[in-house]
Amino acid sequence: MNRWLSACRLLPLFAALMLVLSGCGEPYLSTLDPKGPVAESQFTLMKLSIYIMLLVCAVVFSIFAYVLIRYRKRPGQDGIPKQVEGNTKLEIVWTVIPIILLLILAVPTVKQVFYLAEGPSGDEDALKVKVTGYQYWWDFEYPDLGIRASQELYIPTGKKVYFEVTAKDVIHSFWVPALGGKVDATPGLTSNLWLQADEEGVYAGKCAELCGPSHALMDFKVVAVSPEEFDDWVAKMKAASAEPTSGAAQQGEKLFKQNCLSCHAVGKEGGPVGPVLTNVADRVKIAGILENNKENMEKWIANPQDVKPGNKMPAFGKDVNPEGLTQEEISALAEYLSTLSVRE
Ligand code: CUA
């Protein structure tokens, strides 16, 4: 009785847990609210297996409860009741039913596996994107379009996008819950996957493989835009350059070229080590997790370790790095970065 009572004491905890967990799954980050054919087909399979599981549980527990009550020990009853061994009819029934259930599960599952593994073969103007995972950011290269972008993946709606996923340092996993997935990003290995977004919007992407202290912060975004807007974006990304558009950003530009360009690319200039910054001002988030504003950009430049422990970006704040930049210089850099946009 005491044990029963102490188990009951946990009930409020479970009730609270249910409340908290029901907050999970924002529409742009939920496998339960699919926004494309891949996520849709995976969600259908999930529902099918859960319905079958519920049916099996209901039948098994009903029989279990019936047997418990019907054959319980009654007062005045002595000894063991008559034992039954072997019943061919029953044994056939409980062998055949699971076979039928497995077939109901297996046929659509195998069909979907082949559908989801389809490659771009034959589709001349298929959109291909090479995805590379780094600690702790994502790089997206459009080999046929000759552009690179990082952290935010632009795709046109209503079109299959074929991904070649790999990594440069450790194993990551590329996952966009609302669109489908996920697939491992493994150094030295390329995994394939296609996704499609049917609605315009910004979908959250996650690294789904423990990859270091900032694994949980290795977020990215998928920005699905209309095909016309996508073509426009591609043209502007191709034409973008590191020249600042406003006079106020010119000091920042000079500092950027001295301190940042060897690692970060803008347009066709710059190094391949860090995320591409061609359209950094358009990003929804800085470093995948901070609201994109000047204050956060300064915070990130001054001490990236504070935001994302274990990342490879050096700190530029004087308090962390004596050879770094003054607050005024960091502010000028952030001002310059806020001009790097290809969208109005
Ligand atoms: Cu990359 Cu977890």
Side-chain angles (χ1 to χ4, degrees):
M1 194 63 189
N2 268 344
R3 213 189 286 168
W4 176 239
L5 269 178
S6 70
C8 279
R9 271 210 302 258
L10 288 174
L11 271 177
L13 181 72
F14 284 120
L17 203 63
M18 258 181 80
L19 267 179
V20 172
L21 289 177
S22 64
C24 292
E26 299 293 333
Y28 57 87
L29 180 64
S30 177
T31 48
L32 307 180
D33 189 7
K35 299 289 186 196
V38 173
E40 192 82 54
S41 78
Q42 289 170 340
F43 186 47
T44 308
L45 282 180
M46 254 161 36
K47 281 192 292 192
L48 176 69
S49 45
I50 286 172
Y51 292 152
I52 290 179
M53 183 195 77
L54 288 176
L55 177 76
V56 170
C57 283
V59 171
V60 168
F61 281 106
S62 306
I63 296 174
F64 179 65
Y66 170 78
V67 170
L68 268 188
I69 295 162
R70 174 77 177 74
Y71 298 104
R72 70 188 187 280
K73 190 176 180 191
R74 292 182 167 86
Q77 190 185 47
D78 279 329
I80 298 171
K82 189 183 154 238
Q83 299 294 297
V84 181
E85 272 173 36
N87 183 325
T88 317
K89 230 189 250 172
L90 264 181
E91 280 173 21
I92 289 174
V93 168
W94 68 53
T95 309
V96 169
I97 291 178
I99 290 176
I100 294 173
L101 291 181
L102 279 181
L103 282 175
I104 295 175
L105 269 177
V107 172
T109 305
V110 172
K111 237 175 92 184
Q112 289 305 320
V113 165
F114 282 98
Y115 170 61
L116 298 180
E118 275 172 15
S121 60
D123 188 357
E124 283 300 313
D125 47 43
L127 179 61
K128 287 177 224 141
V129 180
K130 283 186 180 169
V131 176
T132 311
Y134 294 83
Q135 280 171 320
Y136 300 91
W137 58 281
W138 295 91
D139 191 68
F140 307 113
E141 188 193 344
Y142 301 71
D144 298 332
L145 305 174
I147 51 175
R148 250 182 86 210
S150 303
Q151 293 293 63
E152 290 184 5
L153 166 70
Y154 281 73
I155 59 168
T157 51
K159 199 173 168 185
K160 277 184 170 184
V161 185
Y162 296 90
F163 296 98
E164 288 179 7
V165 182
T166 188
K168 273 287 156 69
D169 35 39
V170 299
I171 302 176
H172 306 274
S173 180
F174 176 75
W175 189 29
V176 191
L179 300 183
K182 52 199 164 239
V183 73
D184 271 0
T186 312
L189 201 83
T190 302
S191 312
N192 296 291
L193 160 92
W194 68 269
L195 296 174
Q196 177 179 322
D198 288 335
E199 289 171 31
E200 288 182 34
V202 178
Y203 303 105
K206 289 269 174 193
C207 176
E209 180 75 52
L210 185 60
C211 56
S214 286
H215 152 71
L217 308 174
M218 195 174 156
D219 288 9
F220 62 100
K221 303 281 174 287
V222 177
V223 185
V225 294
S226 67
E228 300 76 44
E229 210 178 334
F230 179 74
D231 291 341
D232 186 52
W233 178 79
V234 170
K236 284 182 174 154
M237 282 295 279
K238 276 183 175 169
S241 77
E243 298 309 315
T245 46
S246 82
Q250 269 163 4
Q251 191 205 350
E253 185 214 0
K254 216 174 120 211
L255 288 164
F256 184 81
K257 287 189 169 160
Q258 286 163 357
N259 296 286
C260 318
L261 205 60
S262 56
C263 293
H264 295 280
V266 175
K268 288 182 178 54
E269 287 179 74
V273 180
V276 174
L277 299 177
T278 310
N279 60 340
V280 67
D282 298 333
R283 296 216 179 124
V284 183
K285 302 271 178 171
I286 294 170
I289 45 173
L290 297 176
E291 280 316 312
N292 191 353
N293 58 41
K294 194 159 172 262
E295 193 188 330
N296 280 337
M297 185 57 92
E298 288 173 14
K299 184 174 153 190
W300 169 254
I301 298 169
N303 192 1
Q305 293 303 321
D306 224 23
V307 181
K308 246 183 185 179
N311 84 84
K312 305 267 165 35
M313 161 123 170
F316 284 93
K318 276 252 191 273
D319 49 340
V320 200
N321 172 10
E323 282 155 34
L325 305 172
T326 63
Q327 182 53 42
E328 197 191 326
E329 289 172 320
I330 288 176
S331 173
L333 255 183
E335 177 66 39
Y336 166 68
L337 291 171
S338 73
T339 66
L340 296 179
S341 162
V342 300
R343 300 180 94 191
E344 282 79 44

